[in-house]
């Protein structure tokens, strides 16, 4: 669990450095709001990572095992790429900034492939709830550092130095990878063709094609409303008059406490009521949490409402992430963890990157109050799929943990 906490931190740190934190830097540099919104497409590697995830299932590097070897490689790359952001100037060279940010996103997405596979492989079925919560807690700690701390620092030092400091924080995950316990051993696919084909074959065969298609659609839509808010939260708060220090201080203190309560509470509640019911409860709360920003947009700059909006958002984000990560892990077969989890989490990321990319243009067109009402409506399609993909009175089935490549070796050639 200690390893999962620190590796979750390493996984979460780069995300905001190419999204919300970068948007705040660009806002400071007086970049157009529409351009800032479209910059969320820098996160496309998070939606496409399933394309190269079979390589991580198939190829074992000659050090630290099947999962940790890839973690070390990507973490070293991230230290260099995030450090390179210290030499960028948004107001002068947006293209270079975009290329550097894209490099971070590719490396971060690859780290996520290895980290998600490691977490799923190392946990027993009974540990999914607490394991997911522990990982998410580390992830949210990183969000605190790369989101809140960066905003506070940027009011006192240049953004370039801020990114250099963030590069140093990646040493946390790098050190954890060396002593993290080795997960159970599953036989890797014998060829790259198997690594590409078998994960999809197994997933659709186990769930059935219609059910699998609905599950994938649900994963795509479940967090759309929350993604729209996240894409525009910092530009919105800066736009109505809050300083970076005010935003960072609230996010870094009360917001972090709310996140911790959400993550820990989410794991505990999930253990009691099950994965399916947690998706209902947490998803409904996540949608309603957008009303906090709607109220703030209607009233204007108000410190108490800022505190409430950020706290409610972070509490619900902690709850829903703990439940959703456990749900995704329950869908993965251990022989193909990297590829299957990458596919599922890529769809989840699509909501935050592709579907939320027009958020800036939408906010310009409608104004902030109407925009936040639209985010509430955008959450409904995912919730309406819950009776089909996660019936309230059923328990989530756990994917088999046997070594498919050994137990079904007789059928492998036929597949």
């Amino acid at each position: 669990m200690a390893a999962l906490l620190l590796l979750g931190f390493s996984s979460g740190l780069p995300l905001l450095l190419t999204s919300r934190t970068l948007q705040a830097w660009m806002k400071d540099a007086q970049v157009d709001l529409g351009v800032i919104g479209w910059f969320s497409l820098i996160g496309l590697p998070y939606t496409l990572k399933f394309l190269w995830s079979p390589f991580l299932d198939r190829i074992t590097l000659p050090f630290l095992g099947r999962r940790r070897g890839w973690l070390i490689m990507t973490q070293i790359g991230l230290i260099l790429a995030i450090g390179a952001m210290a030499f960028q100037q948004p107001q002068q060279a947006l293209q270079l900034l975009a290329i550097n940010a894209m490099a971070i996103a590719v490396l971060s997405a690859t780290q996520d492939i290895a980290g998600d596979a490691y977490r799923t492989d190392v946990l027993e079925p009974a540990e999914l709830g607490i394991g997911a919560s522990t990982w998410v807690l580390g992830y949210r700690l990183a969000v605190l550092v790369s989101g809140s701390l960066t905003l506070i620092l940027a009011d006192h030092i240049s953004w370039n130095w801020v990114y250099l400091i963030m590069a140093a924080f990646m040493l946390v995950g790098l050190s954890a990878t060396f002593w993290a316990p080795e997960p159970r051993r599953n036989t890797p696919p014998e060829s790259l063709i198997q690594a590409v084909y078998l994960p999809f074959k197994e997933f659709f065969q186990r769930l059935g094609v219609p059910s699998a298609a609905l599950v994938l659609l649900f994963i795509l839509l479940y967090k759309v409303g929350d993604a729209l808010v996240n894409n525009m939260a910092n530009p919105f708060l800066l736009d109505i008059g809050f300083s970076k220090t005010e935003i960072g201080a609230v996010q870094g203190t009360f917001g972090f406490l709310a996140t911790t309560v959400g993550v820990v509470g989410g794991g505990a509640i999930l253990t009691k009521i099950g994965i399916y019911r947690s998706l209902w409860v947490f998803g409904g709360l996540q949608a309603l949490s957008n009303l906090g920003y709607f109220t703030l947009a209607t009233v204007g700059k108000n410190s108490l409402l800022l505190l409430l909006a950020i706290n409610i958002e972070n509490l619900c984000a902690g709850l829903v992430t703990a439940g959703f990560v456990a749900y995704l892990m329950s869908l993965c077969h251990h022989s193909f963890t990297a590829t299957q989890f990458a596919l599922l989490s890529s769809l989840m990321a699509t909501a935050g990157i592709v579907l939320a990319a027009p958020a800036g243009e939408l906010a310009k067109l409608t104004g902030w109050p109407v925009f936040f009402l639209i985010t509430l409506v955008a959450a409904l399609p995912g919730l309406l799929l819950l009776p089909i993909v996660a019936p309230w009175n059923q328990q989530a089935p756990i994917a088999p943990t046997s070594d498919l490549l050994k137990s079904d070796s007789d059928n492998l050639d036929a597949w």
Side-chain angles (χ1 to χ4, degrees):
M1 293 302 163
L4 292 181
L5 180 70
L6 298 180
L7 292 175
F9 181 92
S10 181
S11 176
L13 190 74
L15 179 63
L16 294 192
L17 299 180
T18 58
S19 55
R20 292 175 69 163
T21 299
L22 182 59
Q23 289 166 350
W25 187 5
M26 295 171 70
K27 180 72 175 176
D28 265 3
Q30 299 181 342
V31 176
D32 179 74
L33 186 63
V35 174
I36 293 175
W38 286 110
F39 240 72
S40 67
L41 293 175
I42 292 296
L44 276 174
Y46 293 102
T47 73
L48 300 174
K49 60 186 178 182
F50 66 91
L51 294 177
W52 64 92
S53 60
F55 288 95
L56 277 72
D57 261 337
R58 172 67 185 93
I59 301 172
T60 301
L61 298 178
F63 48 86
L64 292 181
R66 187 181 176 197
R67 306 304 186 192
R68 292 187 298 146
W70 284 105
L71 284 172
I72 287 289
M73 290 286 290
T74 53
Q75 288 161 352
I76 292 173
L78 282 166
I79 291 172
L80 297 175
I82 295 172
M85 289 288 281
F87 302 96
Q88 301 298 336
Q89 298 294 335
Q91 57 273 65
Q92 297 175 8
L94 272 177
Q95 289 183 340
L96 286 178
L97 181 72
I99 292 170
N100 197 159
M102 181 65 76
I104 294 173
V106 170
L107 288 164
S108 177
T110 307
Q111 180 190 217
D112 287 350
I113 295 170
D116 293 336
Y118 173 83
R119 181 188 64 237
T120 307
D121 286 350
V122 82
L123 291 172
E124 300 294 336
E127 298 172 332
L128 291 183
I130 186 63
S133 295
T134 302
W135 182 279
V136 172
L137 180 58
Y139 193 97
R140 299 299 296 187
L141 277 167
V143 169
L144 168 68
V145 171
S146 62
S148 304
L149 180 60
T150 52
L151 292 178
I152 296 172
L153 288 174
D155 262 345
H156 301 88
I157 61 177
S158 71
W159 279 106
N160 307 86
W161 276 104
V162 169
Y163 272 81
L164 202 59
I165 293 170
M166 291 301 106
F169 270 104
M170 280 301 302
L171 293 172
V172 172
L174 189 68
S175 62
T177 301
F178 280 106
W179 56 261
E182 187 69 16
R184 68 173 65 87
R185 296 186 180 275
N186 290 100
T187 305
E190 295 179 0
S191 67
L192 189 57
I193 293 177
Q194 289 182 6
V196 172
Y197 175 64
L198 288 183
F200 296 94
K201 170 73 174 182
E202 191 281 331
F203 181 80
F204 282 94
Q205 189 175 60
R206 169 162 43 93
L207 273 66
V209 174
S211 296
L214 286 173
V215 165
L216 296 178
L217 181 63
F218 166 72
I219 293 170
L220 176 67
L221 299 177
Y222 186 60
K223 299 184 71 174
V224 170
D226 184 59
L228 289 169
V229 172
N230 282 332
N231 199 17
M232 282 290 107
N234 279 345
F236 161 66
L237 295 174
L238 291 168
D239 199 41
I240 63 174
F242 290 106
S243 70
K244 295 187 292 293
T245 296
E246 288 176 309
I247 300 168
V250 174
Q251 290 176 341
T253 53
F254 296 101
F256 171 68
L257 291 175
T259 297
T260 304
V261 171
V263 169
V264 176
I269 294 171
L270 187 153
T271 302
K272 295 292 184 182
I273 68 175
I275 293 176
Y276 279 179
R277 290 185 178 184
S278 73
L279 293 175
W280 287 71
V281 176
F282 300 161
L285 291 174
Q286 174 187 251
L288 293 175
S289 71
N290 295 353
L291 292 175
Y293 282 99
F294 167 74
T295 305
L296 191 58
T298 304
V299 173
K301 183 179 179 182
N302 183 293
S303 297
L304 179 59
L305 288 178
L306 173 70
L307 180 66
L308 290 174
I310 289 178
N311 281 355
I312 293 171
E313 180 203 8
N314 287 345
L315 173 67
C316 296
L319 289 169
V320 80
T321 305
F324 207 42
V325 168
Y327 173 68
L328 297 185
M329 286 194 294
S330 73
L331 294 172
C332 295
H333 192 290
H334 285 280
S335 292
F336 314 110
T337 314
T339 301
Q340 288 185 347
F341 200 100
L343 170 65
L344 301 178
S345 57
S346 291
L347 285 173
M348 179 180 69
T350 299
I353 295 163
V354 178
L355 299 184
E361 300 290 352
L362 184 61
K364 286 168 57 179
L365 180 66
T366 63
W368 291 118
V370 175
F371 170 77
F372 287 115
L373 285 180
I374 291 173
T375 67
L376 183 61
V377 175
L380 295 179
L383 296 178
L384 292 175
L385 286 171
L386 281 170
I388 303 172
V389 301
W392 178 265
N393 291 321
Q394 293 185 19
Q395 292 293 321
I398 303 298
T401 58
S402 60
D403 193 333
L404 182 67
L405 295 179
K406 287 182 178 180
S407 61
D408 290 346
S409 58
D410 292 340
N411 299 325
L412 197 55
D413 291 337
W415 283 19

